Amino acid sequence: MTSQSAQKCAVLESQLVGRSVVTLDDLSTDHIRLLLAKAQYIDEDMKRVAHTCDGRILATLFYEPSTRTRLSFETAMLRLGGRVIGFAGAQSTSATKGETISDTVRVVSNFADIIAIRHPKEGAALVASRAASHAGVPVINGGDGGHMHPTQTLADLSTIQARFGRITDLVVGLCGDLMFGRTVHSLIETLCRFGNVHFVLISPDELKTPRYVIDRIEASRTCDYEEVHDLQDVIGKLDVLYMTRVQQERFFNEDDYLRLRDTYILDPAKMKLAKPDMAVLHPLPRVNEISFDVDADPRAAYFEQVRRGMLMRMALESSLLGDSLPGFSESDECKEVTE
Amino acid sequence: MTSQSAQKCAVLESQLVGRSVVTLDDLSTDHIRLLLAKAQYIDEDMKRVAHTCDGRILATLFYEPSTRTRLSFETAMLRLGGRVIGFAGAQSTSATKGETISDTVRVVSNFADIIAIRHPKEGAALVASRAASHAGVPVINGGDGGHMHPTQTLADLSTIQARFGRITDLVVGLCGDLMFGRTVHSLIETLCRFGNVHFVLISPDELKTPRYVIDRIEASRTCDYEEVHDLQDVIGKLDVLYMTRVQQERFFNEDDYLRLRDTYILDPAKMKLAKPDMAVLHPLPRVNEISFDVDADPRAAYFEQVRRGMLMRMALESSLLGDSLPGFSESDECKEVTE
Amino acid sequence: MTSQSAQKCAVLESQLVGRSVVTLDDLSTDHIRLLLAKAQYIDEDMKRVAHTCDGRILATLFYEPSTRTRLSFETAMLRLGGRVIGFAGAQSTSATKGETISDTVRVVSNFADIIAIRHPKEGAALVASRAASHAGVPVINGGDGGHMHPTQTLADLSTIQARFGRITDLVVGLCGDLMFGRTVHSLIETLCRFGNVHFVLISPDELKTPRYVIDRIEASRTCDYEEVHDLQDVIGKLDVLYMTRVQQERFFNEDDYLRLRDTYILDPAKMKLAKPDMAVLHPLPRVNEISFDVDADPRAAYFEQVRRGMLMRMALESSLLGDSLPGFSESDECKEVTE
């Protein structure tokens, strides 16, 4: 049995080598399962994998600031034994001299073995992945414009997996700005690929889930949803509560904002109504949508989510580079991928 | 005897593991003696300690620029075998999205084993140390607002120790802006903890040492002071001359500034009046308060002070991480801590 | 024979240890030949040299942005096993506090074993090299003002060497802005030191090669040149075509610019007239002076040039540090330096 699972892992691993991940559609559900298993394996003993990517170089090309995401990509590579080059902020780059993203990436792919890019323009990561393919260098999308931010979703999935041992058969509430929050859309779409989730979509009418996301849920044989206005009414039945920020500038007038705001703030009073093992997620940064008093509650999972993001990036970076995690193919985690 | 001193060092070392250093009050005089001894030990043979912090990650969170300080913290970690992540300048961070320092630090403490922070607001380092304590990650204050900048003082002490073999029984002159210079206040207060220093406070009336620092000297059984206006009159009796910058904007009118300025500029003419083994310190950067002609004088210790700062940060970082310096417990330096 | 060539390499190597490279006049033609040989040797097997500079630290002091150059210096050190500190952009430095370059470099030379500097002011690298010499730390000029940018020229030479197996006995065309392009001047001057090159200088009258560069060619016994207006007329006889950007702001009026612009744009139509093994170089970043359609042409060498730049920086950094490349002294490449 072990040898069969090891073989399946090996096949999946070989498919990932050199692949760019611009959206989560670049990964099959089996690939995602493999990455979840690897993150779990890495978490058990970080030292075991500390030299997996010795001699490798990651370039982080961040055309707009995102401390959390950049440091997560970088730490992931450092904890695997690799090194990092890059820039943070377009003002430090040749972009100011009129160079295209494509040229910058072709240049950098002479230096780096793998690239993580973040850019304000939609489509930038796809352009980058094509430019880097000349040198066989994989590109990971660290967020481009309104598009997907695939490693955030991987972090979310890994956090749910760590809390519940599964990412299916769950009631998942999403609360706040469901219209503009790209992380929410990506999470819903990805959970639909695995199936068996009941979504509770909690938002004001002004910030409802867009039609194409609803269509995605309806197209799933095993997922369904309900739309509600009030977090308090539904919090008691949720396994996962995914909070997002409600930005004042999204509202037509201040009165509406002030009236609705508190409905979408999570505080200890609302937590009292929730299940004892509910997990609270948030992509961060938060402003005031989760009260600081909730941080000490063991159900608060948003800082753990940061750690899970790093572990998934370790799994992803090593996989795209084709650097096997020592001992993984004989591990229980590898075995579980097959089941 | 060796075993007793090794035991005392071990006790002191164990007290430092995981501790944050926001001000120098977070360290006992014995801890400071231990760090001075470690810096000396490191200086003898940098190669011996080159893998002390293998696998460790330092995060430098610099919300305002300070090349010298940031590079010193980073080099210290690299020379110990560790690695570095971080940012320099608030514009590259999520702070621009309204995230609190506390949240940023909780996020980063998922990535790093130790954090050095610099922030324009007083109290930021304390807030950071509390946030990082959730993950057991120690924080070192790299300067916050008008408050203490403890590693600068450690650099100063180590330089004096290297020049005189002691940090007591000295005549220490401090010259220039003694009112606003936080490094000066911190150095005086720390030397008072060790005792037996005669301070010569050299400044214009407009920039005299504040009362609370004078109180600190007077509270010491073994330290005393005198206040004078003219460097030239007293330079002949100083063991240490600590220069600071006199900023024009501190004066009420330009006439006063022009009249007084030259009194507080150190040049070869004044150096001729000084003792042959006097040590000139300066926290840097300097503008014109030390003439460039003094740089070649062997009594100029301000560039050596930079190196001493790096050595003390190596001692501090490895100690807070609980990473023992190979061979230190059997060394003469360890023995001297006990005496 | 091997032992003689090894001895000659060893002599050349010993001359480079600790040397700063502000202009290419800091290197003899034999030194340049040695560096070309080392780059070639490194390229054959990067893993063999991956620990050449273990424990070393490079500081990149970039007072103005230049992603390509900075990342190339940094990657070079990382691929040799060393580590990197530094800054990119003057706003992150103590320069904002009025510190001189000289003081900053003296400070940093306490941290780093070697420094690469880029600065908008002519002469900055020379000042830096003098300041760093107090600590025996070599400085490499990464570009200062209108002056030489020596490692760009080393990259150019290495690319030509890789394509033709030689840097002499070639017809070298230089096209575009030959008046202000410092990389072009530096390349011409350096090729003249090796001799036997026929230069074809292709530019509008407004942007002709300056007299002092022409003088340099005329002073060479074995080099000569011709000046022409039209790339199309001469492309057929070139071995190397070095393209540069023609900036609109260099022209007196827009009509002239529009009339001339297309003459200096390289496109597939012009490439049809060129030799089958011509090499197209460009210092990058390009704007529109080379059509993107040319990128796939095997004669396009400008991205390879980026890789060659990194290899030459590996050769240079290790040489100035005195870190021998394992196995090099017994290699064929070392032997060829003597011939």
Side-chain angles (χ1 to χ4, degrees):
Chain A
M1 273 328 204
T2 307
S3 76
Q4 268 195 7
S5 64
Q7 213 177 329
K8 180 167 180 195
C9 281
V11 169
L12 290 171
E13 286 192 297
S14 72
Q15 293 167 351
L16 289 176
V17 180
R19 184 179 292 225
S20 285
V21 178
V22 175
T23 78
L24 280 176
D25 292 335
D26 294 316
L27 300 173
S28 72
T29 51
D30 271 354
H31 292 146
I32 294 172
R33 274 193 199 95
L34 176 70
L35 294 173
L36 289 168
K38 285 189 167 189
Q40 192 53 43
Y41 180 77
I42 292 166
D43 192 33
E44 271 166 36
D45 184 358
M46 295 274 283
K47 284 206 172 145
R48 193 165 44 184
V49 302
H51 295 285
T52 305
C53 296
D54 271 6
R56 298 296 199 170
I57 293 181
L58 164 75
T60 49
L61 309 186
F62 273 54
Y63 288 84
E64 60 177 9
S66 178
T67 309
R68 180 186 342 286
T69 308
R70 180 173 62 81
L71 296 187
S72 183
F73 275 112
E74 294 185 0
T75 306
M77 182 49 65
L78 295 178
R79 296 253 180 240
L80 289 165
R83 292 163 184 223
V84 176
I85 58 171
F87 56 81
Q91 83 286 357
S92 335
T93 77
S94 296
T96 56
K97 296 182 193 164
E99 189 174 61
T100 62
I101 293 172
S102 195
D103 270 16
T104 300
V105 168
R106 285 202 72 169
V107 165
V108 172
S109 59
N110 281 287
F111 303 144
D113 303 297
I114 185 167
I115 292 172
I117 189 170
R118 186 180 185 96
H119 197 282
K121 270 201 202 145
E122 238 176 273
L126 184 62
V127 167
S129 71
R130 283 177 186 157
S133 70
H134 289 100
V137 170
V139 169
I140 305 174
N141 186 358
D144 61 337
H147 253 182
M148 284 254 281
H149 180 13
T151 56
Q152 176 65 54
T153 302
L154 293 177
D156 301 343
L157 295 175
S158 179
T159 310
I160 297 172
Q161 172 81 31
R163 286 273 167 142
F164 298 96
R166 62 184 194 276
I167 56 173
T168 57
D169 303 294
L170 293 165
V171 178
V172 176
L174 301 115
C175 177
D177 174 0
L178 304 189
M179 180 171 281
F180 298 100
R182 60 181 176 173
T183 57
V184 163
H185 306 162
S186 174
L187 179 58
I188 293 172
E189 290 187 271
T190 310
L191 285 172
C192 282
R193 293 170 67 186
F194 289 89
N196 288 304
V197 168
H198 176 67
F199 294 102
V200 184
L201 306 170
I202 311 153
S203 77
D205 284 335
E206 290 91 336
L207 297 174
K208 277 174 77 173
T209 317
R211 190 64 228 173
Y212 82 92
V213 179
I214 298 291
D215 285 347
R216 182 68 191 83
I217 303 176
E218 289 180 343
S220 157
R221 271 192 315 113
T222 60
C223 295
D224 52 17
Y225 72 99
E226 60 188 297
E227 290 186 290
V228 301
H229 288 127
D230 205 321
L231 172 56
Q232 193 155 326
D233 294 347
V234 293
I235 195 169
K237 63 176 166 185
L238 305 179
D239 296 310
V240 172
L241 171 56
Y242 200 97
M243 294 295 297
T244 67
R245 189 175 157 204
V246 178
Q247 292 171 277
Q248 185 166 355
E249 57 269 32
R250 301 296 193 199
F251 286 86
F252 295 118
N253 61 68
E254 206 184 334
D255 284 351
D256 282 356
Y257 173 71
L258 293 175
R259 183 172 47 82
L260 290 167
R261 193 184 50 182
D262 286 355
T263 320
Y264 304 102
I265 290 181
L266 185 64
D267 55 23
K270 294 200 188 77
M271 287 299 284
K272 277 198 191 127
L273 308 171
K275 287 190 189 174
D277 66 343
M278 185 185 76
V280 182
L281 277 71
H282 188 297
L284 302 181
R286 71 167 152 186
V287 179
N288 65 348
E289 58 278 9
I290 300 179
S291 154
F292 289 94
D293 302 331
V294 176
D295 294 1
D297 193 308
R299 292 171 291 185
Y302 32 94
F303 289 118
E304 178 186 337
Q305 204 174 345
V306 174
R307 180 176 164 73
R308 287 281 148 192
M310 181 190 71
L311 295 170
M312 284 303 273
R313 288 181 181 99
M314 292 175 76
L316 186 61
E317 288 171 359
S318 57
S319 296
L320 304 185
L321 285 166
D323 294 333
S324 305
L325 301 173
F328 175 72
S329 62
E330 297 84 43
S331 70
D332 290 347
E333 284 80 10
C334 171
K335 231 179 287 179
E336 280 164 26
V337 177
T338 348
E339 285 159 11
Chain B
M1 272 327 203
T2 307
S3 76
Q4 267 194 9
S5 64
Q7 214 177 330
K8 181 169 178 194
C9 280
V11 169
L12 290 171
E13 286 192 296
S14 71
Q15 292 166 351
L16 289 176
V17 181
R19 186 180 292 223
S20 284
V21 178
V22 175
T23 79
L24 281 176
D25 292 335
D26 293 317
L27 299 173
S28 72
T29 51
D30 272 353
H31 292 146
I32 294 173
R33 274 195 199 95
L34 176 71
L35 294 172
L36 289 168
K38 285 189 167 188
Q40 192 53 44
Y41 180 78
I42 292 166
D43 192 32
E44 271 165 36
D45 186 357
M46 296 275 283
K47 285 207 172 147
R48 192 166 44 183
V49 302
H51 295 285
T52 305
C53 296
D54 271 6
R56 298 295 198 171
I57 293 180
L58 164 75
T60 49
L61 309 186
F62 273 53
Y63 289 83
E64 60 178 9
S66 178
T67 310
R68 181 185 342 286
T69 308
R70 179 172 63 82
L71 296 187
S72 183
F73 275 113
E74 294 183 0
T75 306
M77 182 49 65
L78 295 178
R79 295 253 181 240
L80 289 164
R83 292 165 184 220
V84 176
I85 58 172
F87 56 80
Q91 83 286 357
S92 333
T93 77
S94 294
T96 55
K97 296 181 193 165
E99 188 174 60
T100 63
I101 293 171
S102 195
D103 271 16
T104 301
V105 168
R106 286 202 71 169
V107 165
V108 171
S109 60
N110 281 287
F111 303 144
D113 302 297
I114 184 166
I115 293 172
I117 190 170
R118 186 181 186 95
H119 198 282
K121 271 201 200 145
E122 238 176 273
L126 183 62
V127 167
S129 70
R130 283 177 186 156
S133 69
H134 289 100
V137 170
V139 169
I140 305 174
N141 186 358
D144 60 338
H147 254 181
M148 284 253 281
H149 180 14
T151 56
Q152 176 65 52
T153 302
L154 293 177
D156 301 342
L157 296 175
S158 179
T159 310
I160 297 171
Q161 172 82 31
R163 287 272 167 142
F164 297 96
R166 63 184 194 277
I167 56 172
T168 57
D169 302 296
L170 293 165
V171 178
V172 176
L174 302 115
C175 177
D177 175 359
L178 305 189
M179 181 171 281
F180 298 101
R182 60 183 177 174
T183 57
V184 163
H185 306 162
S186 173
L187 179 59
I188 293 172
E189 291 187 88
T190 310
L191 285 171
C192 283
R193 293 169 68 186
F194 290 89
N196 288 304
V197 169
H198 177 68
F199 294 102
V200 183
L201 307 171
I202 311 153
S203 77
D205 284 335
E206 290 90 337
L207 296 173
K208 279 175 72 175
T209 318
R211 189 65 228 171
Y212 81 91
V213 179
I214 298 292
D215 286 348
R216 183 67 191 82
I217 303 176
E218 289 179 342
S220 158
R221 271 191 316 110
T222 60
C223 294
D224 53 18
Y225 73 99
E226 60 187 297
E227 291 186 290
V228 301
H229 287 128
D230 205 320
L231 172 57
Q232 194 155 322
D233 295 348
V234 294
I235 195 169
K237 63 176 165 185
L238 306 178
D239 296 311
V240 173
L241 171 57
Y242 200 98
M243 294 295 296
T244 67
R245 189 176 157 202
V246 178
Q247 293 172 276
Q248 184 166 355
E249 56 270 31
R250 301 297 193 198
F251 286 86
F252 295 119
N253 61 67
E254 207 184 334
D255 284 350
D256 283 356
Y257 173 71
L258 293 175
R259 183 172 46 82
L260 290 166
R261 194 185 48 181
D262 287 354
T263 320
Y264 304 102
I265 290 181
L266 185 64
D267 56 23
K270 294 199 188 79
M271 287 299 284
K272 276 198 190 128
L273 308 170
K275 287 190 189 174
D277 66 344
M278 186 185 75
V280 182
L281 277 72
H282 188 298
L284 302 181
R286 71 167 151 187
V287 180
N288 64 348
E289 58 278 9
I290 300 179
S291 154
F292 289 93
D293 302 332
V294 176
D295 294 2
D297 193 308
R299 291 170 292 185
Y302 32 92
F303 289 118
E304 178 186 338
Q305 204 175 345
V306 173
R307 180 176 164 75
R308 287 281 147 191
M310 180 191 71
L311 295 170
M312 285 302 272
R313 288 182 182 97
M314 292 176 76
L316 187 60
E317 288 170 0
S318 57
S319 297
L320 304 184
L321 285 166
D323 293 334
S324 306
L325 301 172
F328 175 72
S329 62
E330 298 84 42
S331 71
D332 290 347
E333 285 79 10
C334 171
K335 232 180 285 177
E336 279 163 27
V337 177
T338 349
E339 285 159 11
Chain C
M1 272 329 200
T2 307
S3 76
Q4 267 194 9
S5 64
Q7 215 177 328
K8 180 166 180 196
C9 280
V11 169
L12 290 171
E13 286 192 297
S14 71
Q15 292 166 351
L16 288 176
V17 181
R19 184 179 293 224
S20 284
V21 178
V22 175
T23 78
L24 280 177
D25 292 335
D26 294 316
L27 300 173
S28 72
T29 51
D30 271 354
H31 292 146
I32 294 173
R33 274 195 200 94
L34 176 71
L35 294 172
L36 289 168
K38 285 189 168 188
Q40 192 53 43
Y41 179 78
I42 292 166
D43 192 34
E44 270 166 37
D45 185 357
M46 296 275 282
K47 283 207 172 146
R48 193 166 44 183
V49 303
H51 295 285
T52 305
C53 296
D54 270 6
R56 299 294 199 172
I57 292 179
L58 164 74
T60 49
L61 310 187
F62 273 52
Y63 289 84
E64 60 176 10
S66 179
T67 309
R68 181 186 341 287
T69 309
R70 179 172 63 82
L71 296 187
S72 183
F73 275 112
E74 294 183 1
T75 306
M77 182 49 65
L78 295 177
R79 296 252 181 241
L80 289 165
R83 293 165 184 220
V84 176
I85 58 170
F87 56 80
Q91 83 287 356
S92 334
T93 76
S94 296
T96 55
K97 296 180 192 164
E99 188 173 62
T100 63
I101 293 171
S102 195
D103 271 16
T104 301
V105 168
R106 285 201 72 167
V107 164
V108 171
S109 60
N110 281 288
F111 303 145
D113 303 298
I114 186 167
I115 293 172
I117 189 170
R118 186 182 185 94
H119 197 282
K121 271 201 202 144
E122 237 176 273
L126 184 62
V127 167
S129 71
R130 284 178 186 155
S133 70
H134 288 100
V137 169
V139 170
I140 305 174
N141 186 358
D144 60 338
H147 254 180
M148 285 254 281
H149 179 14
T151 56
Q152 177 65 55
T153 302
L154 293 177
D156 301 342
L157 296 175
S158 178
T159 311
I160 297 172
Q161 172 81 31
R163 287 274 166 141
F164 298 97
R166 63 184 194 276
I167 56 173
T168 57
D169 303 294
L170 294 165
V171 178
V172 176
L174 302 115
C175 177
D177 175 359
L178 305 189
M179 180 172 281
F180 298 101
R182 59 180 177 176
T183 57
V184 163
H185 306 163
S186 173
L187 178 59
I188 293 173
E189 290 187 87
T190 310
L191 285 171
C192 282
R193 293 170 68 186
F194 289 89
N196 289 304
V197 168
H198 176 68
F199 295 102
V200 183
L201 307 170
I202 311 152
S203 78
D205 284 335
E206 289 90 338
L207 296 174
K208 278 175 74 175
T209 318
R211 189 65 228 172
Y212 82 92
V213 179
I214 298 292
D215 286 348
R216 183 67 191 83
I217 303 176
E218 290 180 343
S220 158
R221 271 191 315 112
T222 60
C223 295
D224 52 17
Y225 73 99
E226 62 187 296
E227 291 186 291
V228 300
H229 287 126
D230 205 319
L231 172 57
Q232 194 155 325
D233 294 348
V234 293
I235 194 168
K237 63 176 165 185
L238 305 178
D239 296 311
V240 173
L241 171 57
Y242 200 99
M243 294 296 296
T244 67
R245 189 175 157 203
V246 179
Q247 292 172 277
Q248 184 166 355
E249 55 270 32
R250 301 296 193 199
F251 286 86
F252 295 118
N253 61 66
E254 205 183 334
D255 285 350
D256 282 356
Y257 173 72
L258 293 176
R259 182 173 46 82
L260 291 166
R261 194 185 49 182
D262 286 354
T263 320
Y264 304 102
I265 289 182
L266 185 64
D267 55 25
K270 293 200 188 79
M271 287 299 284
K272 277 197 191 129
L273 308 171
K275 286 190 189 174
D277 67 343
M278 186 186 74
V280 182
L281 277 72
H282 188 296
L284 302 181
R286 72 166 152 189
V287 179
N288 65 347
E289 58 278 9
I290 300 179
S291 154
F292 289 94
D293 302 332
V294 176
D295 294 1
D297 193 308
R299 292 170 291 184
Y302 31 92
F303 290 117
E304 179 186 336
Q305 204 175 345
V306 173
R307 180 177 163 72
R308 286 282 147 190
M310 180 190 71
L311 295 170
M312 285 302 271
R313 289 183 181 97
M314 292 176 76
L316 187 61
E317 288 171 0
S318 57
S319 297
L320 304 184
L321 284 167
D323 293 335
S324 305
L325 301 172
F328 175 71
S329 62
E330 297 85 42
S331 71
D332 290 346
E333 285 79 10
C334 171
K335 232 179 287 177
E336 280 165 27
V337 177
T338 348
E339 286 159 11

